């Protein structure tokens, strides 16, 4: 992990601080971390993301309370006490994790797909070998590349051992390799034995896109950049994060909060799961920029000479 020695403090001679600025400030960061963690952990496997929305709303309330507490806090003189590396570590890892959460939310499944997946999982949806009762249409012979075996496609009537009793189901467009299917033979299909619905899906290829952020299969793809970014940011912010960030200053913090609020608004179409095929996915991807942009604004503007403020 990259680490530099912390830079000397360059804060003004006066600042505002109270117990409430500390409580509300840490409450803002910890509730934001809880919201990001809930998304990444998959507390809500599919929309609506009610716990995540509640934690995001709590973060916004804490941020407003921190601003109010900072304005009412008594003015103190001298250098503010050093809060240690806890703030640096939290911010350094929260920013890339929040970026990953926004990116992965762009691949969140729809509520209907999520409910169907959950229902099939409970009903033990998997691949099973079943009996071919009869051929429902003449097999159509096809050919792949010269080095691959031929295949046959036809409609089959299969006997499926559901929990409620055996059931014959016609499955269109089933594929078999090498030889055409025969009555009395065996074939592999995906179905849910515990699903009593007449239209329960019976598929040759039953792989489903997982529910939740962890189910997107993008976790490993995005995990390595997060570890790299978190390590770099920990070292950089230990050296360059101005202590003035802890003190509320409207030109420093209000634009950063506006950027984060915009990113949250871009995620709102995804959270309830409305129109997932419309603007929700592009908006979620665009929100990835918000955490990093807010941090860059805080870092650059906090070093400029400002009137002494809050926390």
């Amino acid at each position: 992990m990259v680490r530099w020695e912390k830079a000397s403090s360059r804060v003004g001679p006066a600042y505002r601080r109270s117990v409430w600025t500390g409580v509300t400030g840490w409450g803002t960061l910890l509730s934001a971390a809880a919201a990001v963690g809930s998304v990444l952990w998959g507390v809500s496997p599919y929309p609506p993301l009610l716990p995540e929305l509640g934690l995001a709303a709590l973060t916004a309330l804490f941020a407003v309370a921190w601003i109010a507490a900072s304005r009412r806090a008594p003015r103190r003189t001298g250098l503010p006490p050093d809060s240690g590396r806890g703030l640096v570590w939290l911010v350094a890892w929260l920013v890339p994790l929040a970026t990953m959460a926004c990116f992965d939310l762009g691949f969140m499944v729809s509520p209907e797909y999520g409910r169907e997946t959950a229902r099939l999982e409970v009903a033990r949806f998997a691949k099973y070998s079943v009996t071919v009762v009869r051929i429902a249409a003449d097999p159509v012979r096809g050919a792949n590349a010269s080095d691959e075996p031929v295949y046959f496609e036809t409609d089959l009537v299969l006997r499926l051992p559901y929990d409620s009793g055996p059931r014959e189901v016609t499955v269109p467009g089933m594929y078999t390799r090498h030889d055409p299917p025969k009555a009395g033979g065996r074939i592999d299909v995906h179905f849910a034995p515990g699903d009593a619905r007449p239209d329960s899906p019976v598929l040759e290829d039953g792989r489903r896109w997982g529910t939740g952020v962890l189910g997107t299969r993008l976790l490993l793809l995005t995990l390595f950049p997060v570890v790299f970014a978190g390590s770099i940011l920990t070292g950089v912010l230990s050296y360059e994060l101005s202590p003035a960030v802890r003190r509320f200053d409207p030109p420093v913090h209000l634009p950063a909060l506006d950027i984060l609020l915009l990113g949250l608004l871009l995620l709102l179409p995804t959270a309830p799961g409305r129109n997932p095929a419309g603007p929700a996915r592009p908006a979620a991807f665009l929100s990835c920029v918000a955490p990093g942009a807010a941090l860059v604004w805080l870092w650059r503007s906090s070093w400029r000479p400002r009137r002494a403020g809050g926390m």
Side-chain angles (χ1 to χ4, degrees):
M1 180 178 296
V2 180
R3 178 177 293 179
W4 290 274
E5 293 298 325
K6 189 174 182 180
S8 60
S9 180
R10 289 181 279 177
V11 298
Y15 64 97
R16 293 185 181 273
R17 181 183 176 88
S18 70
V19 173
W20 289 110
T21 60
V23 170
T24 55
W26 280 104
T28 301
L29 291 175
L30 293 178
S31 56
V36 172
S38 297
V39 171
L40 297 177
W41 188 256
V43 173
S44 300
Y46 51 84
L49 310 180
L50 297 181
E52 293 81 355
L53 285 173
L55 288 169
L58 182 62
T59 302
L61 289 176
F62 267 121
V64 173
W66 178 65
I67 294 174
S70 298
R71 290 186 176 277
R72 296 175 61 88
R75 184 181 295 272
R76 303 172 185 269
T77 58
L79 297 177
D82 188 359
S83 59
R85 296 188 179 272
L87 178 64
V88 170
W89 277 80
L90 182 59
V91 172
W93 287 94
L94 182 58
V95 168
L97 285 173
T99 303
M100 180 177 75
C102 295
F103 177 76
D104 286 354
L105 278 175
F107 295 92
M108 177 65 71
V109 299
S110 67
E112 295 77 14
Y113 188 92
R115 286 191 292 268
E116 176 70 3
T117 300
R119 182 186 299 112
L120 291 175
E121 288 177 349
V122 171
R124 308 188 310 279
F125 185 78
K127 183 170 69 173
Y128 300 90
S129 179
V130 299
T131 302
V132 177
V133 178
R134 61 181 179 274
I135 311 300
D138 293 334
V140 177
R141 186 181 186 276
N144 290 318
S146 59
D147 58 343
E148 295 181 1
V150 297
Y151 65 90
F152 294 85
E153 179 184 1
T154 186
D155 301 342
L156 300 179
V157 179
L158 307 177
R159 181 178 290 111
L160 306 179
Y162 283 93
D163 294 348
S164 58
R167 187 188 312 170
E168 292 187 2
V169 177
T170 301
V171 183
M174 291 293 295
Y175 283 86
T176 55
R177 288 176 178 260
H178 302 289
D179 299 310
K182 298 179 180 179
R186 308 285 291 184
I187 192 170
D188 293 335
V189 294
H190 288 76
F191 76 103
D195 190 358
R197 296 176 300 168
D199 59 344
S200 180
V202 180
L203 306 169
E204 180 186 20
D205 186 356
R207 292 173 295 180
R208 297 183 66 81
W209 190 253
T211 57
V213 171
L214 295 179
T216 62
R217 304 173 186 174
L218 294 171
L219 183 62
L220 291 178
L221 179 65
T222 53
L223 183 60
F224 292 109
V226 166
V227 173
F228 176 78
S231 302
I232 294 295
L233 282 177
T234 300
V236 171
L237 296 183
S238 297
Y239 178 71
E240 282 292 337
L241 184 64
S242 170
V245 171
R246 301 195 308 269
R247 301 180 289 115
F248 174 68
D249 192 2
V252 174
H253 293 92
L254 289 183
L257 291 175
D258 289 340
I259 294 172
L260 293 175
L261 181 60
L262 177 60
L264 181 61
L265 292 176
L266 291 174
L267 289 174
L268 285 182
T270 301
R274 297 176 181 174
N275 195 18
R281 296 190 188 278
F285 293 139
L286 187 59
S287 69
C288 298
V289 181
L295 179 61
V296 170
W297 177 269
L298 284 175
W299 175 72
R300 294 194 62 182
S301 59
S302 62
W303 284 116
R304 299 171 184 173
R306 297 286 184 187
R307 180 171 54 87
M311 187 172 167

